[in-house]
Amino acid sequence: MKYFFGLLSILGIIIPYMEFIPWISENGFNLMILLNEATENRISAFAWLDIIIAAIVLIGFILYEGKRIGVKHKWIPIIGTLTVGVSFGLPLFLLLREIQMEKMKDS
């Protein structure tokens, strides 16, 4: 599972940024344009609100589960979720969790 979660972590960065980097090069870091385009219609707003809720749930899960089993560096997937998205933060946390569970099993 480690390799699966590792691969998904990499894809979780690359695929979203394949769209975001060209957008940044065209529009710069203009938050007003970003918010306008993100909420341009109801389906866009629906998708963004869904992602925001998923990110909040994920961060709560990272904090709870990370503390419960002693995952080190749990701040990294939190930062990854906030800077890239759930597509990166979730598989990265699951990778760190898998590594910690293997360590617990070997002890």
Side-chain angles (χ1 to χ4, degrees):
M1 289 305 291
K2 287 190 306 190
Y3 298 109
F4 177 69
F5 293 139
L7 175 63
L8 288 177
S9 296
I10 293 166
L11 292 175
I13 292 173
I14 292 172
I15 292 172
Y17 271 89
M18 285 173 57
E19 293 298 324
F20 189 59
I21 290 172
W23 187 91
I24 290 289
S25 68
E26 292 172 13
N27 300 290
F29 289 100
N30 189 326
L31 281 177
M32 290 307 297
I33 294 174
L34 177 64
L35 291 174
N36 286 337
E37 289 188 14
T39 58
E40 190 171 336
N41 57 53
R42 289 191 178 273
I43 200 66
S44 297
F46 162 79
W48 274 105
L49 293 170
D50 184 62
I51 291 167
I52 290 168
I53 297 298
I56 292 168
V57 170
L58 175 58
I59 291 169
F61 176 67
I62 291 169
L63 292 171
Y64 174 79
E65 182 69 1
K67 182 178 180 181
R68 186 179 76 83
I69 66 169
V71 172
K72 293 182 181 176
H73 311 296
K74 61 183 171 277
W75 60 270
I76 298 172
I78 292 172
I79 298 297
T81 299
L82 297 173
T83 58
V84 177
V86 174
S87 64
F88 175 57
L90 178 58
L92 180 58
F93 177 71
L94 293 175
L95 172 63
L96 295 175
R97 181 178 178 267
E98 190 71 22
I99 291 167
Q100 179 61 24
M101 290 179 74
E102 282 183 2
K103 287 179 184 177
M104 291 168 56
K105 182 180 174 185
D106 292 340
S107 319

